[in-house]
C-alpha cells in the first residue's frame, strides 16, 4: 500500500508548500485529482475566474435560463506561439468561442474552460494565460463557470491547449444561419482581413516589419448586438477564422446553395498585411482572423447595416465587399483589381498550422 | 501567391481523394480549415454523430430549452492507453461528461466534442474512437451537436485528446450539491471500487490476471433518475473518478464542513481489484472509477435509496458504506476491518497519471 493513509490526525497544511508561480513548473500531480490539483484550482483558477456559479465547486455548474433558443459552441485552441502581438492563447480561447456563439445573433452567457497542460510548463506562463482569459471574459461580460485540468507527460503535449465551450441565448425574432444567403444579398466584412494570421506568422518566421502587425483577437458579440438592432433581418453571420474569408464564403455558398461575387478592390486589408503576404507568398483571403465577421443581408438593408457596423469601434473599417449570386456550382468568384475574374476556391492543403 | 486561386471553373471533386480509413493517417491539413478538414467532418464526424442539430452546420448549435435550471460540465480526456478492456477514450469521453452533468440530478441533453489530433495518428483508430463515442451517446440517449477538430505536429500531442462539454436540465424540486452533506446522513456507493483504474493500470504494467478486469465506464444518468424518483431528498451525488473514493469524500467533507466515517468491511471491491492493488502497492480507495457514484442522503431514506440503486443494473452491488459525522477538521476516517481507525487523507502526489 502507498503511504496515503495516516494513523493519526495531522494538520493538512503540513503536506503542502505554496505554489511557486515565479519559477515553478507544472507537475503530473497538478492533474492527479489530489491535493496539488485542488491547490492549483483554488489558488489560480478560482481566484482569476471568481464568480458565484464557479464557486458552487461541483463537477458541474448550475444556472437559470429562460425558455427559448439556446446555442452551444466549442473550440480547442492550440495556437503556437502562445503569446503574440495583440493577445495570447488565453484571450484567444475566450474570444474564439464567444464569437462562434455570437454568430447566431445570441448573447453569450457562460463559458467552460478545459486545460491540457504539459508537464514542465512554466507556472508563470500558465498564470499569465489564465489571467488573460479572466480579463477577456470580464471585458466581454461573460463568466467562466466550470472547467477541468489535465496534465500529460513532457513530450506528449505542447505547453498548453485550452478548450472552451460557450452557451448563449438567441433573441426570439432572429433567423441567422449559414443556409440563408439568397441571390441579391450583399456581403459585408467588419474590418481588415488577415491581421491575426500574419501576426502569428511574423513571429514564427521571425520577421520584423516596420510596424508590428497585431492580432485582431476580440469579442464581437457587442458589435453583433448593434448590427441586429439596426437590421434584424440579417441572413448570415460567420467569423472567418481558420481558412480565412475564402473558406468562410465557400462554406456559406455550399450551405445556402448559391454563388458569390467578391470585388477585390473593396476588400479592406492593412498595407502591412498586404506587404507581408506578398513577401511570404500568401493570399490574404485565406489568412485567419479572430476579431472579424462576415455578414450577409438583403440588399435593401446593406447600407443601414454598414453604418451600424462602422459606428462600432470593432467595425470602423467595415465594407460591402460583394454579393450573393445564383450559381448551381456554388462557386465564390472574385472580380480582380485588374478587371479579370477568378474562382476563390476552398483551401486545398494546409496553409498556416496551429493559427488558433 | 500560393496557387489557391483558379482561373477556370473546375470540378471540386478533382482535388480530393477519398479518405483512407484503413491505412491513412492524420495530416496537418485535416485541421487546416480547408477542404480536407471539411471532408473529414463530412465523412467521419457527421456520419457517426448524425442528428438534426449537428446538421445545422453552423459554428454553433441551436436548440430549444424550457425555463429552469440548466447545468454545464466539461472534461478533457487524455487517457492512456486509448483502448482498454471495457471501453476506450471515445466512450469514456461521453460517459465522463454525462456523469458530471447527471451528478446534479440533471437529465443530460446535449454534448459538444472537441478533438486535438496528433499528426500521423492512424485514421483507423480515429474512426474506431469516433464510432465508439457515437455508440455511447446513442446508448445514453444524448446527441453530440457541435464540435471542433485541431491537429498538432507529430511529437506535440499524444494521438488524440477529446474534450466534451455537456448540458442538462435539473428537475425543479432537487437540491443536490456537495455542500449539503449533514451529520447523520448515510453514505452509499453504487458498486465496486477501482475497476477502471486497475483495468488501465493492468494494461500499462502488462499484467495478466486470471480474469481480465474491465473498466466500469458507463453513463449513470438513468441510475440517477431511478434514485431521485425513489428519494428526492438526496443531498449529494458525485462520481469518484480521478483520486477515487478517498478524494471524492474529502472534497465533499470540505465543502459541507463535516467529517465522515467509512467502514472498510462495507466497501464493495472486486476480488481481482483487491489482489491487483496488493500486488501493485495501491490503495483501492484512491483508484479511479468511471461508472460509479457516491450518494449521501438522510439516514431515514438510506434503505429506500439502496433498494432503488440495487434494482438498477448499474447499482446491483450498491452498499451503504458509512455516515457523515460532525468534525471541525473535516476528516474522512475509516474503521478498518481489524477494528482500528485511520484517516483517509487527500491524495498527496500523483498516483495514476492519465487515467481519464
Amino acid at each position: 500500500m502507498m503511504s496515503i493513509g495516516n494513523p493519526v490526525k495531522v494538520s493538512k497544511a503540513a503536506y503542502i508548500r505554496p505554489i511557486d508561480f515565479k519559477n515553478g513548473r507544472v507537475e503530473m500531480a497538478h492533474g492527479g485529482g489530489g491535493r496539488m490539483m485542488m491547490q492549483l484550482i483554488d489558488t489560480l483558477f478560482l481566484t482569476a475566474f471568481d464568480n458565484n456559479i464557479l464557486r458552487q465547486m461541483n463537477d458541474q455548474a448550475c444556472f437559470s435560463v429562460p425558455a427559448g433558443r439556446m446555442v452551444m459552441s466549442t473550440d480547442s485552441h492550440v495556437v503556437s506561439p502562445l503569446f503574440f502581438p495583440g493577445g495570447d492563447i488565453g484571450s484567444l480561447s475566450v474570444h474564439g468561442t464567444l464569437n462562434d456563439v455570437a454568430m447566431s445573433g445570441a448573447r453569450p452567457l457562460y463559458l467552460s474552460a478545459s486545460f491540457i497542460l504539459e508537464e514542465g510548463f512554466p507556472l508563470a506562463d500558465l498564470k499569465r494565460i489564465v489571467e488573460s482569459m479572466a480579463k477577456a471574459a470580464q471585458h466581454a461580460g461573460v463568466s467562466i463557470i466550470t472547467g477541468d485540468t489535465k496534465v500529460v507527460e513532457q513530450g506528449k503535449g505542447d505547453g498548453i491547449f485550452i478548450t472552451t465551450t460557450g452557451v448563449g441565448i438567441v433573441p426570439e425574432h432572429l433567423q441567422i444561419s449559414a443556409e440563408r444567403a439568397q441571390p441579391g444579398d450583399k456581403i459585408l466584412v467588419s474590418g481588415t482581413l488577415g491581421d491575426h494570421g500574419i501576426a502569428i506568422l511574423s513571429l514564427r518566421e521571425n520577421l520584423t516589419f516596420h510596424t508590428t502587425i497585431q492580432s485582431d483577437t476580440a469579442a464581437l458579440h457587442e458589435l453583433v448586438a448593434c448590427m441586429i438592432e439596426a437590421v434584424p433581418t440579417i441572413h448570415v453571420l460567420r467569423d472567418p477564422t481558420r481558412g480565412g474569408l475564402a473558406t468562410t464564403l465557400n462554406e456559406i455558398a455550399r450551405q445556402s446553395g448559391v454563388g458569390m461575387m467578391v470585388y477585390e478592390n473593396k476588400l479592406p486589408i492593412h498595407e502591412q498585411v498586404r506587404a507581408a503576404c506578398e513577401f511570404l507568398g500568401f493570399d490574404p483571403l485565406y489568412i485567419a482572423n479572430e476579431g472579424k465577421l462576415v455578414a450577409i443581408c438583403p440588399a435593401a438593408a446593406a447600407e443601414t447595416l454598414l453604418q451600424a457596423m462602422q459606428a462600432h469601434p470593432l467595425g470602423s473599417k467595415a465594407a460591402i465587399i460583394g454579393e450573393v449570386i445564383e450559381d448551381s456550382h456554388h462557386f465564390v468568384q472574385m472580380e480582380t483589381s485588374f478587371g479579370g475574374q477568378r474562382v476563390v476556391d476552398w483551401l486545398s492543403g494546409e496553409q498556416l498550422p496551429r493559427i488558433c
Side-chain angles (χ1 to χ4, degrees), chain A residues 55-74:
Chain A
R55 287 267 169 208
Q56 294 168 358
M57 283 296 285
N58 287 314
D59 288 337
Q60 74 294 125
C62 187
F63 51 90
S64 294
V65 289
R69 283 182 299 162
M70 177 162 252
V71 290
M72 181 179 191
S73 186
T74 194

Side-chain angles (χ1 to χ4, degrees), chain A residues 61 71 76 88 120 151 169 183 238 246 252:
Chain A
V71 290
S76 287
D88 55 53
V151 179
I169 300 288
R238 189 164 279 195
I252 298 168

Side-chain angles (χ1 to χ4, degrees), chain A residues 148-167:
Chain A
D148 184 39
T149 310
K150 293 290 187 329
V151 179
V152 296
E153 303 87 344
Q154 202 145 30
K156 302 292 188 184
D158 196 17
I160 180 170
F161 301 141
I162 306 177
T163 302
T164 49
T165 306
V167 292

